[in-house]
Amino acid sequence: FFMGNSGLQEEINRRLQFLEPNDMAQLLETSAEIQKLIVQASLPIALEDAILSSYRELLKKAGEGSRVSLRSSALGEDGREASFAGQYRSILNVGPEFLILSYKEIVASKYSVPAMAYRENMGFRDEDIIMGVGCMAMVPAMAAGVVYSADPGDSFHEGIIINALWGLGKAVVDGSFPSDLYVLDKKDPAVLLKKVIQKKTKKIICHPEE
């Protein structure tokens, strides 16, 4: 809705049409230009109103003054043949004054250099990767992680895969810190099949005013 109603998609398509993916200088320039176009564009009024209205509804449940996390969710992001993990942006600890800007920055991250190069190398068309933005209330997490209800690598066909570490889960997603691994079967009650505990010396937490 944002890209189509703002005229951005047509301009982006025009720039991508002349892009030589093996020309790194052109790729860097095109990526920067497209992301700047998206961040500087105004949202359609209906979309901005919907985002702010949903944010206010979220605060009724989470409590006034709560911060939120915004993260990308794109079609084809995780699968057996390809994974875009770490290529798109997630922004944590967002207050109302940066909500709209953060939304646009995440949409713009579809056109980061790694994401554009990866799509080209994997044979994905730009129009096949539709970007959405999820929003969740932040919690002061002691530990966090990612759960796969099915193993994307299919090593454990009937397994539930959990990667976790201390603090916020951002470091699991972008791989910046080592995370623990747990594999459980899908029986009731579940049985732990595998456990790998990493040495963890750092964690990510939210500064209350940033």
Side-chain angles (χ1 to χ4, degrees):
F1 184 75
F2 170 37
M3 303 293 285
N5 284 268
S6 60
L8 284 170
Q9 195 61 60
E10 291 82 356
E11 178 61 21
I12 290 170
N13 292 344
R14 186 186 68 79
R15 292 172 186 255
L16 293 178
Q17 184 179 0
F18 300 103
L19 178 64
E20 292 291 340
N22 295 322
D23 185 337
M24 184 54 65
Q26 187 189 24
L27 184 61
L28 287 164
E29 182 180 3
T30 302
S31 170
E33 289 174 350
I34 291 176
Q35 291 188 73
K36 184 178 179 180
L37 282 173
I38 294 172
V39 171
Q40 291 183 342
S42 297
L43 293 188
I45 296 299
L47 177 58
E48 183 168 342
D49 287 346
I51 291 173
L52 295 176
S53 175
S54 296
Y55 175 73
R56 289 190 292 269
E57 288 298 315
L58 180 61
L59 290 185
K60 291 179 181 178
K61 300 176 181 179
E64 290 298 324
S66 295
R67 301 295 184 98
V68 297
S69 64
L70 298 179
R71 66 151 302 183
S72 63
S73 182
L75 290 179
E77 188 166 357
D78 291 301
R80 186 174 299 178
E81 301 300 328
S83 174
F84 291 83
Q87 295 179 15
Y88 304 138
R89 286 200 68 181
S90 293
I91 304 179
L92 307 181
N93 213 32
V94 179
E97 66 275 19
F98 293 112
L99 189 65
I100 299 301
L101 175 60
S102 298
Y103 168 85
K104 291 191 290 186
E105 287 180 346
I106 291 173
V107 173
S109 71
K110 176 185 172 182
Y111 297 97
S112 69
V113 170
M116 292 174 67
Y118 186 76
R119 284 198 297 273
E120 179 67 25
N121 290 332
M122 296 299 293
F124 287 98
R125 299 184 305 169
D126 179 71
E127 58 266 32
D128 292 335
I129 307 297
I130 300 172
M131 176 69 76
V133 179
C135 177
M136 298 178 67
M138 296 290 299
V139 296
M142 293 181 62
V146 176
V147 178
Y148 289 93
S149 58
D151 181 4
D154 209 22
S155 299
F156 300 92
H157 181 64
E158 296 298 327
I160 298 171
I161 312 299
I162 303 172
N163 294 108
L165 41 58
W166 297 121
L168 300 173
K170 180 180 185 298
V172 174
V173 177
D174 64 23
S176 54
F177 300 161
S179 59
D180 299 337
L181 168 68
Y182 302 89
V183 181
L184 297 90
D185 64 20
K186 295 184 178 180
K187 298 176 182 177
D188 187 14
V191 176
L192 184 64
L193 302 176
K194 183 176 182 179
K195 178 173 67 173
V196 178
I197 305 299
Q198 302 283 358
K199 182 178 180 180
K200 297 176 286 295
T201 60
K202 299 178 180 179
K203 66 179 180 179
I204 297 175
I205 61 173
C206 285
H207 190 287
E209 297 180 359
E210 294 184 3

